[in-house]
Amino acid sequence: MSGELVVIDEDASVDSALARMRGHGVRRLPIVDTDGHLTGIVSLEDVLGQLAREMGEVGAFLQQSAPARLATS
């Protein structure tokens, strides 16, 4: 092993996970509970996929509401 294992608490935010990944140059983080037991793993691909889905939903909302905004202008 080349150093201390980088992990994240299960109640940490997505922003914290991304900052930790960036800061340590890793693409995957083990998720641990308060006792230090492994509860999961989050990957950069998981986070990017979720953000892409959310951005798609925002785009769809904006497209649906655009005609209503134009009609009231």
Side-chain angles (χ1 to χ4, degrees):
M1 201 148 156
S2 61
E4 185 177 337
L5 181 63
V6 179
V7 300
I8 192 124
D9 295 332
E10 62 187 353
D11 60 349
S13 69
V14 171
D15 289 337
S16 295
L18 287 173
R20 184 160 287 220
M21 287 178 184
R22 184 175 41 250
H24 291 277
V26 297
R27 297 178 63 90
R28 291 172 194 80
L29 281 177
I31 303 168
V32 296
D33 63 16
T34 55
D35 295 324
H37 297 117
L38 181 68
T39 61
I41 296 175
V42 64
S43 71
L44 183 58
E45 291 78 12
D46 294 334
V47 174
L48 293 176
Q50 181 62 34
L51 290 173
R53 284 187 290 278
E54 290 176 10
M55 292 306 297
E57 291 173 10
V58 169
F61 170 76
L62 291 174
Q63 285 182 336
Q64 289 174 350
S65 65
R69 284 196 318 262
L70 292 176
T72 60
S73 296

Tab-separated table of all heavy atoms in Angstrom:
chain	number	residue	atom	x	y	z
A	1	MET	N	0.845	-1.163	0.000
A	1	MET	CA	0.000	0.000	0.000
A	1	MET	C	0.896	1.234	0.000
A	1	MET	O	1.900	1.288	0.670
A	1	MET	CB	-0.889	-0.035	1.232
A	1	MET	CG	-2.084	0.801	1.100
A	1	MET	SD	-3.389	0.018	2.048
A	1	MET	CE	-4.378	1.396	2.367
A	2	SER	N	0.453	2.256	-0.723
A	2	SER	CA	1.313	3.420	-0.895
A	2	SER	C	0.929	4.598	-0.011
A	2	SER	O	1.185	5.736	-0.356
A	2	SER	CB	1.282	3.846	-2.364
A	2	SER	OG	-0.029	4.192	-2.725
A	3	GLY	N	0.295	4.369	1.098
A	3	GLY	CA	-0.063	5.470	1.990
A	3	GLY	C	-1.376	5.208	2.684
A	3	GLY	O	-1.952	4.134	2.600
A	4	GLU	N	-1.841	6.235	3.384
A	4	GLU	CA	-3.093	6.136	4.117
A	4	GLU	C	-4.280	6.015	3.169
A	4	GLU	O	-4.354	6.694	2.148
A	4	GLU	CB	-3.256	7.383	4.985
A	4	GLU	CG	-4.458	7.337	5.887
A	4	GLU	CD	-4.550	8.563	6.773
A	4	GLU	OE1	-3.528	9.222	7.020
A	4	GLU	OE2	-5.663	8.854	7.208
A	5	LEU	N	-5.217	5.142	3.520
A	5	LEU	CA	-6.418	4.960	2.721
A	5	LEU	C	-7.284	6.209	2.829
A	5	LEU	O	-7.548	6.712	3.923
A	5	LEU	CB	-7.194	3.739	3.218
A	5	LEU	CG	-8.470	3.391	2.473
A	5	LEU	CD1	-8.163	3.040	1.018
A	5	LEU	CD2	-9.168	2.236	3.161
A	6	VAL	N	-7.719	6.723	1.703
A	6	VAL	CA	-8.575	7.905	1.668
A	6	VAL	C	-10.013	7.427	1.654
A	6	VAL	O	-10.420	6.675	0.767
A	6	VAL	CB	-8.282	8.759	0.420
A	6	VAL	CG1	-9.178	9.979	0.371
A	6	VAL	CG2	-6.821	9.161	0.372
A	7	VAL	N	-10.793	7.844	2.651
A	7	VAL	CA	-12.201	7.450	2.759
A	7	VAL	C	-13.050	8.691	2.991
A	7	VAL	O	-12.519	9.783	3.216
A	7	VAL	CB	-12.426	6.445	3.921
A	7	VAL	CG1	-11.618	5.179	3.711
A	7	VAL	CG2	-12.100	7.073	5.266
A	8	ILE	N	-14.360	8.502	2.962
A	8	ILE	CA	-15.285	9.597	3.255
A	8	ILE	C	-16.405	9.062	4.137
A	8	ILE	O	-16.798	7.900	4.007
A	8	ILE	CB	-15.830	10.232	1.963
A	8	ILE	CG1	-16.558	11.535	2.244
A	8	ILE	CG2	-16.720	9.298	1.210
A	8	ILE	CD1	-16.052	12.691	1.501
A	9	ASP	N	-16.879	9.902	5.052
A	9	ASP	CA	-17.982	9.524	5.928
A	9	ASP	C	-19.271	9.402	5.129
A	9	ASP	O	-19.492	10.132	4.161
A	9	ASP	CB	-18.188	10.559	7.027
A	9	ASP	CG	-17.005	10.638	7.981
A	9	ASP	OD1	-16.309	9.619	8.150
A	9	ASP	OD2	-16.790	11.721	8.562
A	10	GLU	N	-20.147	8.502	5.566
A	10	GLU	CA	-21.381	8.260	4.831
A	10	GLU	C	-22.342	9.444	4.847
A	10	GLU	O	-23.229	9.528	4.004
A	10	GLU	CB	-22.081	7.003	5.341
A	10	GLU	CG	-22.515	7.047	6.776
A	10	GLU	CD	-23.059	5.717	7.271
A	10	GLU	OE1	-23.223	4.779	6.467
A	10	GLU	OE2	-23.323	5.612	8.477
A	11	ASP	N	-22.158	10.386	5.754
A	11	ASP	CA	-23.035	11.556	5.782
A	11	ASP	C	-22.412	12.781	5.113
A	11	ASP	O	-22.963	13.885	5.167
A	11	ASP	CB	-23.447	11.890	7.213
A	11	ASP	CG	-22.261	12.205	8.110
A	11	ASP	OD1	-21.111	11.978	7.694
A	11	ASP	OD2	-22.490	12.685	9.240
A	12	ALA	N	-21.285	12.597	4.441
A	12	ALA	CA	-20.607	13.703	3.756
A	12	ALA	C	-21.379	14.099	2.498
A	12	ALA	O	-22.084	13.289	1.895
A	12	ALA	CB	-19.184	13.311	3.391
A	13	SER	N	-21.208	15.336	2.106
A	13	SER	CA	-21.880	15.845	0.902
A	13	SER	C	-21.135	15.409	-0.363
A	13	SER	O	-19.969	15.007	-0.311
A	13	SER	CB	-21.933	17.374	0.953
A	13	SER	OG	-20.629	17.910	0.809
A	14	VAL	N	-21.823	15.537	-1.466
A	14	VAL	CA	-21.204	15.249	-2.768
A	14	VAL	C	-20.048	16.210	-3.004
A	14	VAL	O	-18.988	15.816	-3.496
A	14	VAL	CB	-22.247	15.347	-3.898
A	14	VAL	CG1	-21.590	15.266	-5.261
A	14	VAL	CG2	-23.301	14.262	-3.746
A	15	ASP	N	-20.230	17.462	-2.619
A	15	ASP	CA	-19.154	18.450	-2.773
A	15	ASP	C	-17.906	18.037	-1.995
A	15	ASP	O	-16.788	18.162	-2.490
A	15	ASP	CB	-19.604	19.839	-2.307
A	15	ASP	CG	-20.605	20.476	-3.251
A	15	ASP	OD1	-20.633	20.096	-4.445
A	15	ASP	OD2	-21.352	21.357	-2.796
A	16	SER	N	-18.110	17.524	-0.784
A	16	SER	CA	-16.975	17.058	0.025
A	16	SER	C	-16.281	15.878	-0.630
A	16	SER	O	-15.052	15.791	-0.631
A	16	SER	CB	-17.450	16.645	1.421
A	16	SER	OG	-17.948	17.754	2.119
A	17	ALA	N	-17.078	14.972	-1.173
A	17	ALA	CA	-16.494	13.808	-1.847
A	17	ALA	C	-15.672	14.235	-3.055
A	17	ALA	O	-14.549	13.758	-3.257
A	17	ALA	CB	-17.593	12.831	-2.264
A	18	LEU	N	-16.216	15.149	-3.853
A	18	LEU	CA	-15.473	15.634	-5.023
A	18	LEU	C	-14.196	16.353	-4.618
A	18	LEU	O	-13.148	16.170	-5.250
A	18	LEU	CB	-16.358	16.560	-5.865
A	18	LEU	CG	-17.457	15.879	-6.655
A	18	LEU	CD1	-18.371	16.916	-7.296
A	18	LEU	CD2	-16.883	14.949	-7.698
A	19	ALA	N	-14.267	17.158	-3.568
A	19	ALA	CA	-13.076	17.865	-3.094
A	19	ALA	C	-12.017	16.878	-2.612
A	19	ALA	O	-10.821	17.050	-2.887
A	19	ALA	CB	-13.449	18.831	-1.975
A	20	ARG	N	-12.442	15.835	-1.929
A	20	ARG	CA	-11.497	14.835	-1.434
A	20	ARG	C	-10.873	14.063	-2.600
A	20	ARG	O	-9.674	13.805	-2.620
A	20	ARG	CB	-12.189	13.887	-0.468
A	20	ARG	CG	-11.206	12.898	0.149
A	20	ARG	CD	-11.775	12.324	1.387
A	20	ARG	NE	-11.732	13.364	2.398
A	20	ARG	CZ	-11.417	13.133	3.659
A	20	ARG	NH1	-11.134	11.927	4.059
A	20	ARG	NH2	-11.391	14.111	4.525
A	21	MET	N	-11.694	13.698	-3.575
A	21	MET	CA	-11.166	13.008	-4.767
A	21	MET	C	-10.126	13.874	-5.459
A	21	MET	O	-9.042	13.408	-5.809
A	21	MET	CB	-12.304	12.674	-5.742
A	21	MET	CG	-13.204	11.564	-5.318
A	21	MET	SD	-14.519	11.358	-6.547
A	21	MET	CE	-15.501	10.090	-5.781
A	22	ARG	N	-10.485	15.124	-5.668
A	22	ARG	CA	-9.568	16.055	-6.347
A	22	ARG	C	-8.297	16.254	-5.536
A	22	ARG	O	-7.191	16.207	-6.062
A	22	ARG	CB	-10.285	17.387	-6.578
A	22	ARG	CG	-9.499	18.393	-7.356
A	22	ARG	CD	-10.293	19.667	-7.675
A	22	ARG	NE	-11.129	20.154	-6.586
A	22	ARG	CZ	-12.469	20.111	-6.577
A	22	ARG	NH1	-13.130	19.604	-7.599
A	22	ARG	NH2	-13.147	20.590	-5.553
A	23	GLY	N	-8.444	16.453	-4.240
A	23	GLY	CA	-7.300	16.711	-3.374
A	23	GLY	C	-6.325	15.553	-3.272
A	23	GLY	O	-5.125	15.756	-3.090
A	24	HIS	N	-6.847	14.336	-3.395
A	24	HIS	CA	-5.990	13.156	-3.262
A	24	HIS	C	-5.714	12.468	-4.601
A	24	HIS	O	-5.022	11.450	-4.647
A	24	HIS	CB	-6.612	12.157	-2.288
A	24	HIS	CG	-6.618	12.647	-0.877
A	24	HIS	ND1	-5.531	12.530	-0.048
A	24	HIS	CD2	-7.574	13.287	-0.161
A	24	HIS	CE1	-5.814	13.059	1.130
A	24	HIS	NE2	-7.050	13.540	1.082
A	25	GLY	N	-6.279	13.018	-5.669
A	25	GLY	CA	-6.036	12.444	-6.995
A	25	GLY	C	-6.581	11.039	-7.155
A	25	GLY	O	-5.942	10.198	-7.785
A	26	VAL	N	-7.771	10.797	-6.595
A	26	VAL	CA	-8.389	9.469	-6.709
A	26	VAL	C	-9.726	9.583	-7.429
A	26	VAL	O	-10.349	10.640	-7.455
A	26	VAL	CB	-8.584	8.801	-5.323
A	26	VAL	CG1	-7.236	8.562	-4.658
A	26	VAL	CG2	-9.494	9.627	-4.430
A	27	ARG	N	-10.167	8.471	-8.010
A	27	ARG	CA	-11.437	8.435	-8.730
A	27	ARG	C	-12.506	7.651	-7.983
A	27	ARG	O	-13.659	7.640	-8.383
A	27	ARG	CB	-11.224	7.819	-10.109
A	27	ARG	CG	-10.294	8.641	-10.980
A	27	ARG	CD	-10.044	7.985	-12.324
A	27	ARG	NE	-11.233	7.848	-13.121
A	27	ARG	CZ	-11.693	8.754	-13.988
A	27	ARG	NH1	-11.020	9.873	-14.148
A	27	ARG	NH2	-12.787	8.539	-14.678
A	28	ARG	N	-12.108	6.998	-6.893
A	28	ARG	CA	-13.053	6.213	-6.089
A	28	ARG	C	-12.772	6.447	-4.616
A	28	ARG	O	-11.612	6.544	-4.213
A	28	ARG	CB	-12.911	4.724	-6.394
A	28	ARG	CG	-13.385	4.355	-7.770
A	28	ARG	CD	-13.052	2.915	-8.113
A	28	ARG	NE	-13.219	2.687	-9.529
A	28	ARG	CZ	-12.344	3.012	-10.466
A	28	ARG	NH1	-11.202	3.569	-10.134
A	28	ARG	NH2	-12.588	2.782	-11.729
A	29	LEU	N	-13.853	6.513	-3.830
A	29	LEU	CA	-13.708	6.687	-2.391
A	29	LEU	C	-14.536	5.644	-1.659
A	29	LEU	O	-15.740	5.526	-1.905
A	29	LEU	CB	-14.239	8.058	-1.954
A	29	LEU	CG	-13.379	9.273	-2.157
A	29	LEU	CD1	-14.137	10.516	-1.719
A	29	LEU	CD2	-12.080	9.157	-1.402
A	30	PRO	N	-13.915	4.895	-0.765
A	30	PRO	CA	-14.700	4.038	0.124
A	30	PRO	C	-15.521	4.927	1.063
A	30	PRO	O	-15.046	5.963	1.533
A	30	PRO	CB	-13.648	3.259	0.909
A	30	PRO	CG	-12.395	3.355	0.087
A	30	PRO	CD	-12.479	4.688	-0.593
A	31	ILE	N	-16.749	4.525	1.306
A	31	ILE	CA	-17.629	5.245	2.232
A	31	ILE	C	-17.675	4.441	3.519
A	31	ILE	O	-17.907	3.226	3.498
A	31	ILE	CB	-19.042	5.371	1.637
A	31	ILE	CG1	-18.984	6.075	0.286
A	31	ILE	CG2	-19.966	6.101	2.609
A	31	ILE	CD1	-20.270	5.997	-0.501
A	32	VAL	N	-17.447	5.127	4.650
A	32	VAL	CA	-17.416	4.440	5.942
A	32	VAL	C	-18.436	5.046	6.901
A	32	VAL	O	-18.770	6.225	6.819
A	32	VAL	CB	-16.007	4.473	6.582
A	32	VAL	CG1	-14.998	3.718	5.721
A	32	VAL	CG2	-15.536	5.898	6.800
A	33	ASP	N	-18.916	4.198	7.842
A	33	ASP	CA	-19.833	4.679	8.869
A	33	ASP	C	-19.041	5.236	10.039
A	33	ASP	O	-17.810	5.327	9.985
A	33	ASP	CB	-20.808	3.576	9.299
A	33	ASP	CG	-20.127	2.375	9.937
A	33	ASP	OD1	-18.939	2.455	10.342
A	33	ASP	OD2	-20.790	1.325	10.058
A	34	THR	N	-19.734	5.606	11.115
A	34	THR	CA	-19.070	6.231	12.260
A	34	THR	C	-18.089	5.297	12.959
A	34	THR	O	-17.183	5.753	13.650
A	34	THR	CB	-20.102	6.736	13.284
A	34	THR	OG1	-20.958	5.657	13.648
A	34	THR	CG2	-20.934	7.868	12.693
A	35	ASP	N	-18.236	3.972	12.764
A	35	ASP	CA	-17.308	3.001	13.347
A	35	ASP	C	-16.140	2.680	12.413
A	35	ASP	O	-15.283	1.864	12.744
A	35	ASP	CB	-18.042	1.710	13.699
A	35	ASP	CG	-19.079	1.908	14.783
A	35	ASP	OD1	-18.819	2.731	15.701
A	35	ASP	OD2	-20.141	1.267	14.724
A	36	GLY	N	-16.133	3.308	11.231
A	36	GLY	CA	-15.069	3.052	10.273
A	36	GLY	C	-15.305	1.834	9.396
A	36	GLY	O	-14.414	1.417	8.664
A	37	HIS	N	-16.512	1.270	9.453
A	37	HIS	CA	-16.838	0.106	8.627
A	37	HIS	C	-17.273	0.544	7.226
A	37	HIS	O	-18.021	1.516	7.077
A	37	HIS	CB	-17.953	-0.719	9.267
A	37	HIS	CG	-17.572	-1.295	10.576
A	37	HIS	ND1	-18.211	-0.955	11.744
A	37	HIS	CD2	-16.602	-2.175	10.920
A	37	HIS	CE1	-17.666	-1.603	12.754
A	37	HIS	NE2	-16.670	-2.354	12.271
A	38	LEU	N	-16.833	-0.203	6.252
A	38	LEU	CA	-17.170	0.087	4.865
A	38	LEU	C	-18.675	-0.076	4.636
A	38	LEU	O	-19.255	-1.101	4.991
A	38	LEU	CB	-16.405	-0.868	3.939
A	38	LEU	CG	-16.632	-0.688	2.444
A	38	LEU	CD1	-16.040	0.637	1.976
A	38	LEU	CD2	-16.022	-1.852	1.681
A	39	THR	N	-19.298	0.954	4.053
A	39	THR	CA	-20.718	0.872	3.726
A	39	THR	C	-20.968	1.012	2.231
A	39	THR	O	-22.074	0.783	1.768
A	39	THR	CB	-21.535	1.950	4.477
A	39	THR	OG1	-21.069	3.239	4.100
A	39	THR	CG2	-21.422	1.763	5.976
A	40	GLY	N	-19.942	1.385	1.476
A	40	GLY	CA	-20.098	1.541	0.033
A	40	GLY	C	-18.865	2.165	-0.581
A	40	GLY	O	-17.872	2.418	0.101
A	41	ILE	N	-18.963	2.393	-1.873
A	41	ILE	CA	-17.890	3.050	-2.617
A	41	ILE	C	-18.550	4.008	-3.595
A	41	ILE	O	-19.532	3.650	-4.250
A	41	ILE	CB	-17.011	2.040	-3.385
A	41	ILE	CG1	-16.301	1.119	-2.402
A	41	ILE	CG2	-16.001	2.750	-4.281
A	41	ILE	CD1	-15.498	0.010	-3.057
A	42	VAL	N	-18.040	5.213	-3.678
A	42	VAL	CA	-18.531	6.175	-4.662
A	42	VAL	C	-17.409	6.448	-5.648
A	42	VAL	O	-16.241	6.567	-5.266
A	42	VAL	CB	-19.031	7.479	-3.994
A	42	VAL	CG1	-17.917	8.224	-3.300
A	42	VAL	CG2	-19.723	8.375	-5.008
A	43	SER	N	-17.778	6.499	-6.925
A	43	SER	CA	-16.776	6.777	-7.949
A	43	SER	C	-17.068	8.118	-8.608
A	43	SER	O	-18.199	8.629	-8.564
A	43	SER	CB	-16.776	5.675	-9.014
A	43	SER	OG	-17.945	5.765	-9.813
A	44	LEU	N	-16.067	8.677	-9.214
A	44	LEU	CA	-16.232	9.922	-9.950
A	44	LEU	C	-17.278	9.738	-11.046
A	44	LEU	O	-18.100	10.619	-11.283
A	44	LEU	CB	-14.886	10.355	-10.546
A	44	LEU	CG	-14.871	11.684	-11.287
A	44	LEU	CD1	-15.329	12.818	-10.389
A	44	LEU	CD2	-13.489	11.965	-11.837
A	45	GLU	N	-17.291	8.575	-11.672
A	45	GLU	CA	-18.267	8.288	-12.716
A	45	GLU	C	-19.690	8.293	-12.153
A	45	GLU	O	-20.625	8.758	-12.812
A	45	GLU	CB	-17.961	6.948	-13.388
A	45	GLU	CG	-16.699	6.959	-14.228
A	45	GLU	CD	-15.402	6.866	-13.417
A	45	GLU	OE1	-15.445	6.562	-12.197
A	45	GLU	OE2	-14.341	7.117	-13.996
A	46	ASP	N	-19.872	7.781	-10.921
A	46	ASP	CA	-21.185	7.822	-10.269
A	46	ASP	C	-21.658	9.264	-10.120
A	46	ASP	O	-22.802	9.596	-10.439
A	46	ASP	CB	-21.139	7.201	-8.865
A	46	ASP	CG	-20.849	5.719	-8.849
A	46	ASP	OD1	-21.153	5.028	-9.840
A	46	ASP	OD2	-20.314	5.256	-7.814
A	47	VAL	N	-20.783	10.108	-9.614
A	47	VAL	CA	-21.130	11.503	-9.363
A	47	VAL	C	-21.410	12.231	-10.667
A	47	VAL	O	-22.416	12.939	-10.797
A	47	VAL	CB	-20.014	12.220	-8.566
A	47	VAL	CG1	-20.302	13.698	-8.421
A	47	VAL	CG2	-19.844	11.567	-7.199
A	48	LEU	N	-20.558	12.052	-11.664
A	48	LEU	CA	-20.756	12.719	-12.946
A	48	LEU	C	-22.038	12.255	-13.621
A	48	LEU	O	-22.757	13.063	-14.225
A	48	LEU	CB	-19.559	12.489	-13.862
A	48	LEU	CG	-18.258	13.149	-13.407
A	48	LEU	CD1	-17.118	12.776	-14.346
A	48	LEU	CD2	-18.414	14.645	-13.307
A	49	GLY	N	-22.348	10.976	-13.512
A	49	GLY	CA	-23.589	10.456	-14.077
A	49	GLY	C	-24.804	11.091	-13.429
A	49	GLY	O	-25.766	11.477	-14.112
A	50	GLN	N	-24.789	11.212	-12.116
A	50	GLN	CA	-25.911	11.829	-11.400
A	50	GLN	C	-26.040	13.304	-11.767
A	50	GLN	O	-27.147	13.791	-12.002
A	50	GLN	CB	-25.744	11.674	-9.886
A	50	GLN	CG	-26.879	12.260	-9.090
A	50	GLN	CD	-28.218	11.611	-9.374
A	50	GLN	OE1	-28.299	10.418	-9.648
A	50	GLN	NE2	-29.274	12.399	-9.331
A	51	LEU	N	-24.919	14.005	-11.833
A	51	LEU	CA	-24.969	15.421	-12.216
A	51	LEU	C	-25.495	15.596	-13.640
A	51	LEU	O	-26.275	16.513	-13.912
A	51	LEU	CB	-23.583	16.055	-12.083
A	51	LEU	CG	-23.084	16.236	-10.654
A	51	LEU	CD1	-21.632	16.718	-10.659
A	51	LEU	CD2	-23.964	17.198	-9.878
A	52	ALA	N	-25.110	14.704	-14.541
A	52	ALA	CA	-25.594	14.774	-15.923
A	52	ALA	C	-27.101	14.560	-15.977
A	52	ALA	O	-27.813	15.269	-16.703
A	52	ALA	CB	-24.878	13.737	-16.787
A	53	ARG	N	-27.621	13.606	-15.192
A	53	ARG	CA	-29.073	13.373	-15.154
A	53	ARG	C	-29.799	14.611	-14.620
A	53	ARG	O	-30.827	15.026	-15.171
A	53	ARG	CB	-29.397	12.151	-14.299
A	53	ARG	CG	-29.100	10.834	-14.996
A	53	ARG	CD	-29.589	9.641	-14.190
A	53	ARG	NE	-28.797	9.442	-12.983
A	53	ARG	CZ	-27.621	8.816	-12.936
A	53	ARG	NH1	-27.079	8.338	-14.045
A	53	ARG	NH2	-26.990	8.661	-11.793
A	54	GLU	N	-29.261	15.199	-13.568
A	54	GLU	CA	-29.885	16.390	-12.985
A	54	GLU	C	-29.861	17.563	-13.964
A	54	GLU	O	-30.848	18.297	-14.084
A	54	GLU	CB	-29.207	16.760	-11.677
A	54	GLU	CG	-29.501	15.766	-10.570
A	54	GLU	CD	-28.755	16.075	-9.285
A	54	GLU	OE1	-28.157	17.160	-9.162
A	54	GLU	OE2	-28.799	15.210	-8.390
A	55	MET	N	-28.766	17.742	-14.663
A	55	MET	CA	-28.678	18.829	-15.648
A	55	MET	C	-29.650	18.582	-16.795
A	55	MET	O	-30.246	19.521	-17.329
A	55	MET	CB	-27.246	18.991	-16.166
A	55	MET	CG	-26.280	19.510	-15.104
A	55	MET	SD	-26.805	21.035	-14.308
A	55	MET	CE	-26.814	22.152	-15.679
A	56	GLY	N	-29.833	17.331	-17.185
A	56	GLY	CA	-30.815	16.994	-18.214
A	56	GLY	C	-32.222	17.361	-17.778
A	56	GLY	O	-33.024	17.871	-18.572
A	57	GLU	N	-32.533	17.111	-16.508
A	57	GLU	CA	-33.851	17.474	-15.977
A	57	GLU	C	-34.037	18.984	-15.973
A	57	GLU	O	-35.125	19.487	-16.304
A	57	GLU	CB	-34.027	16.905	-14.574
A	57	GLU	CG	-34.139	15.395	-14.546
A	57	GLU	CD	-34.154	14.821	-13.132
A	57	GLU	OE1	-34.262	15.602	-12.161
A	57	GLU	OE2	-34.060	13.593	-13.009
A	58	VAL	N	-33.006	19.720	-15.619
A	58	VAL	CA	-33.083	21.189	-15.641
A	58	VAL	C	-33.303	21.666	-17.071
A	58	VAL	O	-34.148	22.533	-17.329
A	58	VAL	CB	-31.804	21.827	-15.042
A	58	VAL	CG1	-31.755	23.317	-15.308
A	58	VAL	CG2	-31.725	21.540	-13.553
A	59	GLY	N	-32.572	21.101	-18.016
A	59	GLY	CA	-32.731	21.478	-19.423
A	59	GLY	C	-34.132	21.192	-19.930
A	59	GLY	O	-34.727	22.019	-20.634
A	60	ALA	N	-34.683	20.036	-19.563
A	60	ALA	CA	-36.042	19.692	-19.987
A	60	ALA	C	-37.051	20.667	-19.403
A	60	ALA	O	-37.983	21.111	-20.087
A	60	ALA	CB	-36.369	18.262	-19.563
A	61	PHE	N	-36.877	21.028	-18.141
A	61	PHE	CA	-37.768	22.008	-17.506
A	61	PHE	C	-37.702	23.339	-18.235
A	61	PHE	O	-38.727	23.964	-18.502
A	61	PHE	CB	-37.400	22.185	-16.028
A	61	PHE	CG	-38.117	23.326	-15.394
A	61	PHE	CD1	-39.445	23.216	-15.045
A	61	PHE	CD2	-37.464	24.531	-15.159
A	61	PHE	CE1	-40.121	24.288	-14.468
A	61	PHE	CE2	-38.125	25.601	-14.587
A	61	PHE	CZ	-39.463	25.478	-14.242
A	62	LEU	N	-36.496	23.791	-18.551
A	62	LEU	CA	-36.337	25.078	-19.231
A	62	LEU	C	-36.979	25.055	-20.613
A	62	LEU	O	-37.608	26.031	-21.033
A	62	LEU	CB	-34.870	25.467	-19.321
A	62	LEU	CG	-34.199	25.816	-17.993
A	62	LEU	CD1	-32.710	26.041	-18.193
A	62	LEU	CD2	-34.856	27.017	-17.347
A	63	GLN	N	-36.857	23.933	-21.309
A	63	GLN	CA	-37.475	23.821	-22.637
A	63	GLN	C	-38.993	23.852	-22.542
A	63	GLN	O	-39.662	24.465	-23.368
A	63	GLN	CB	-37.018	22.545	-23.335
A	63	GLN	CG	-35.609	22.631	-23.860
A	63	GLN	CD	-35.195	21.373	-24.583
A	63	GLN	OE1	-35.725	20.295	-24.348
A	63	GLN	NE2	-34.228	21.511	-25.475
A	64	GLN	N	-39.535	23.196	-21.518
A	64	GLN	CA	-40.992	23.176	-21.347
A	64	GLN	C	-41.531	24.541	-20.954
A	64	GLN	O	-42.622	24.928	-21.350
A	64	GLN	CB	-41.390	22.160	-20.275
A	64	GLN	CG	-41.198	20.731	-20.705
A	64	GLN	CD	-41.456	19.761	-19.570
A	64	GLN	OE1	-41.602	20.155	-18.421
A	64	GLN	NE2	-41.495	18.477	-19.893
A	65	SER	N	-40.775	25.275	-20.181
A	65	SER	CA	-41.269	26.567	-19.702
A	65	SER	C	-40.949	27.710	-20.658
A	65	SER	O	-41.485	28.800	-20.511
A	65	SER	CB	-40.709	26.869	-18.314
A	65	SER	OG	-39.308	27.039	-18.356
A	66	ALA	N	-40.117	27.493	-21.653
A	66	ALA	CA	-39.739	28.563	-22.586
A	66	ALA	C	-40.954	29.129	-23.331
A	66	ALA	O	-41.093	30.347	-23.406
A	66	ALA	CB	-38.666	28.076	-23.553
A	67	PRO	N	-41.840	28.326	-23.895
A	67	PRO	CA	-42.989	28.906	-24.598
A	67	PRO	C	-43.861	29.767	-23.668
A	67	PRO	O	-44.345	30.818	-24.066
A	67	PRO	CB	-43.766	27.689	-25.074
A	67	PRO	CG	-42.739	26.600	-25.168
A	67	PRO	CD	-41.784	26.898	-24.042
A	68	ALA	N	-44.011	29.357	-22.430
A	68	ALA	CA	-44.818	30.139	-21.483
A	68	ALA	C	-44.162	31.477	-21.202
A	68	ALA	O	-44.832	32.499	-21.103
A	68	ALA	CB	-45.004	29.343	-20.180
A	69	ARG	N	-42.850	31.486	-21.079
A	69	ARG	CA	-42.137	32.747	-20.815
A	69	ARG	C	-42.252	33.681	-22.039
A	69	ARG	O	-42.425	34.878	-21.887
A	69	ARG	CB	-40.671	32.488	-20.497
A	69	ARG	CG	-40.437	31.958	-19.105
A	69	ARG	CD	-38.978	32.079	-18.707
A	69	ARG	NE	-38.051	31.722	-19.756
A	69	ARG	CZ	-37.446	30.528	-19.887
A	69	ARG	NH1	-37.668	29.595	-19.013
A	69	ARG	NH2	-36.614	30.296	-20.867
A	70	LEU	N	-42.149	33.109	-23.237
A	70	LEU	CA	-42.213	33.934	-24.455
A	70	LEU	C	-43.614	34.517	-24.632
A	70	LEU	O	-43.768	35.643	-25.083
A	70	LEU	CB	-41.815	33.103	-25.665
A	70	LEU	CG	-40.348	32.663	-25.719
A	70	LEU	CD1	-40.107	31.760	-26.912
A	70	LEU	CD2	-39.429	33.870	-25.782
A	71	ALA	N	-44.650	33.779	-24.279
A	71	ALA	CA	-46.020	34.241	-24.447
A	71	ALA	C	-46.347	35.386	-23.514
A	71	ALA	O	-47.178	36.229	-23.834
A	71	ALA	CB	-46.988	33.084	-24.225
A	72	THR	N	-45.685	35.447	-22.357
A	72	THR	CA	-45.970	36.503	-21.396
A	72	THR	C	-45.086	37.720	-21.604
A	72	THR	O	-45.265	38.724	-20.942
A	72	THR	CB	-45.792	36.000	-19.956
A	72	THR	OG1	-44.443	35.559	-19.766
A	72	THR	CG2	-46.764	34.875	-19.651
A	73	SER	N	-44.143	37.666	-22.533
A	73	SER	CA	-43.231	38.807	-22.753
A	73	SER	C	-43.901	39.874	-23.595
A	73	SER	O	-44.730	39.702	-24.374
A	73	SER	CB	-41.970	38.348	-23.473
A	73	SER	OG	-41.273	37.455	-22.648
